[in-house]
Amino acid sequence: MIKLENLTKTFTQKGTTFNAVDNVSLNVPEGEMCVLLGPSGCGKSTTLKMINRLISSTSGKILINGEDTSGLDTVTLRRNIGYVIQQIGLFPNMTIEDNITVVPRMLGWDKKRCRERACELMSMVALDPKTFLQRYPRELSGGQQQRIGVIRALAADPPVLLMDEPFGAVDPINRESIQNEFLDMQRQLRKTVMLVSHDIDEALKLGDRIAVFGQGKIVQCASPDELLAKP
Ligand code: ADP
Ligand code: ADP
């Protein structure tokens, strides 16, 4: 599970200091998906970036599976975390197979195991390995590329998945199907997921719980049913 305790990030912009993330505490139980929902600039991305240590925290604690991550080296930490961003970030000069297996190859998996894993993951997002393994990212549509971005994050089977507006750049028609595929995948894989979104429909559809952010704080944390029941 992911547990945040009084997590704070202070930034200084033009001489003014403010808390982009302000004393946030949150618990995501193992196997659940929590959506961080809120308008632009309220601290959602900064929260994810602190969890995978793209930026440091100012104060507070981050625990993964009960362990304070400040005691982990960055390689060990990142091995436990898959990260998906809106901008996809596939490596343009690598085939789809090599893109998907970047982390497993760094971990020393042999070629056969890498290929099997790539094929297994591709079948979950309805991309035929025969057609796509040896292609390059530019030969795929935006929606197909984002599917690869999602499965690449899962390649070495990390228990935790952080997703920052993962479907934000996908057109509305593809978004619907990529969301559904992801829900199916999550039902099988039961990752502990934190997903950032500014789209309430997406949050209601995907989240087991929704943490509503406003100006660096969590203003409400509830299940979709509870959120809908309130006036
Ligand atoms: P969200 O993901 O909710 O859109 P962010 O976490 O990206 O919000 O940003 C929260 C606030 O922190 C914004 O006001 C943003 O401008 C500010 N911010 C983010 N990163 C930095 C930074 N590196 N330096 C200064 N301010 C930053
Ligand atoms: P995201 O889409 O993840 O919210 P942004 O587009 O807000 O990212 O920001 C891109 C990068 O610039 C991030 O690394 C973020 O930390 C940094 N950043 C965002 N706002 C500011 C700011 N006001 N000053 C300095 N850096 C910022």
Side-chain angles (χ1 to χ4, degrees), residues 69-192:
T69 62
S70 65
L72 298 176
D73 65 90
T74 304
V75 174
T76 307
L77 174 75
R78 300 250 174 92
R79 199 175 285 176
N80 283 293
I81 298 176
Y83 186 50
V84 183
I85 54 171
Q86 180 174 337
Q87 300 83 347
I88 309 178
L90 297 181
F91 300 105
N93 298 324
M94 282 187 197
T95 62
I96 296 305
E97 177 173 16
D98 285 349
N99 264 285
I100 294 172
T101 58
V102 153
V103 175
R105 286 185 290 124
M106 283 196 295
L107 296 175
W109 294 21
D110 66 36
K111 203 166 167 58
K112 181 164 173 280
R113 186 168 170 216
C114 282
R115 164 125 346 151
E116 281 168 5
R117 181 65 177 155
C119 292
E120 179 188 12
L121 288 163
M122 288 177 87
S123 69
M124 289 186 180
V125 291
L127 289 174
D128 178 17
K130 278 200 205 72
T131 310
F132 290 103
L133 269 182
Q134 299 314 318
R135 289 200 186 172
Y136 287 86
R138 63 176 174 276
E139 300 175 282
L140 273 60
S141 72
Q144 289 169 338
Q145 289 186 40
Q146 193 56 296
R147 288 174 169 87
I148 300 298
V150 172
I151 63 176
R152 177 178 62 174
L154 292 167
D157 210 18
V160 169
L161 192 57
L162 305 178
M163 309 179 84
D164 196 340
E165 301 270 4
F167 313 127
V170 179
D171 66 84
I173 294 166
N174 267 302
R175 190 178 306 149
E176 180 90 34
S177 44
I178 198 170
Q179 286 169 340
N180 290 335
E181 280 165 16
F182 181 68
L183 270 179
D184 281 345
M185 249 160 84
Q186 172 61 4
R187 281 188 198 106
Q188 288 180 54
L189 302 175
R190 305 303 304 171
K191 298 293 175 191
T192 307

Side-chain angles (χ1 to χ4, degrees), residues 38-56:
S40 182
C42 66
K44 308 180 302 294
S45 293
T46 301
T47 301
L48 291 198
K49 288 172 188 168
M50 284 191 280
I51 297 171
N52 72 358
R53 215 180 277 164
L54 284 172
I55 57 174
S56 61

Side-chain angles (χ1 to χ4, degrees), residues 4-10 18-26 42-43 46-47 50 57-61 213-219:
L4 309 180
E5 288 179 7
N6 305 109
L7 192 63
T8 297
K9 180 68 189 184
T10 306
F18 70 103
N19 289 340
V21 176
D22 193 358
N23 219 24
V24 162
S25 295
L26 181 63
C42 66
T46 301
T47 301
M50 284 191 280
S57 60
T58 304
S59 60
K61 267 192 195 168
F213 268 64
Q215 298 193 352
K217 293 180 189 294
I218 295 179
V219 293

